[in-house]
Amino acid sequence: MSTDLLSEHNVLGCALLDKNLVPNLLEIPDDWFLDNDHKLIHRSISSIASRNLTIDIITVMDRLEADYGTKNVVGMEYLNNLMVEVTSLKHFDSH
């Protein structure tokens, strides 16, 4: 995984793990994400946040499926891996 994709992976995972980081994630412009799946995840988190709903792996998966269809989105395992592979929440801003 390239450094850019690893950074994308980490900021999304951090925001899924720590809801206090969601506002920071939403400050990142959509076009910062090179990976299309990451863009869709970012858009889904933004959509959920705009509705003042809880952001977690379930609501993100539901939003992805509702907006983009089940065949066009990453699975639950991928979202889980985003969170599991985060090395430290402290490094969110450095990505």
Side-chain angles (χ1 to χ4, degrees):
M1 185 180 294
S2 75
T3 304
D4 292 336
L5 292 180
L6 186 57
S7 293
E8 294 178 19
H9 196 272
N10 281 318
V11 296
L12 291 168
C14 284
L16 287 170
L17 284 169
D18 184 348
K19 306 322 171 235
N20 295 319
L21 293 173
V22 169
N24 301 50
L25 175 68
L26 298 179
E27 290 178 13
I28 299 172
D30 203 41
D31 61 359
W32 180 81
F33 294 92
L34 301 175
D35 183 275
N36 191 57
D37 289 334
H38 293 167
K39 282 182 186 181
L40 298 181
I41 294 167
H42 181 263
R43 289 177 188 162
S44 294
I45 292 172
S46 178
S47 175
I48 296 164
S50 72
R51 293 176 171 95
N52 292 318
L53 300 172
T54 301
I55 295 169
D56 59 31
I57 192 171
I58 304 296
T59 58
V60 171
M61 191 71 225
D62 288 346
R63 185 80 263 144
L64 283 165
E65 289 177 353
D67 289 346
Y68 307 106
T70 56
K71 295 183 186 224
N72 297 317
V73 297
V74 298
M76 190 69 77
E77 183 178 354
Y78 188 83
L79 293 176
N80 189 58
N81 286 340
L82 286 175
M83 296 184 302
V84 170
E85 294 174 7
V86 168
T87 54
S88 174
L89 294 173
K90 294 178 186 178
H91 301 297
F92 179 92
D93 291 328
S94 66
H95 294 294

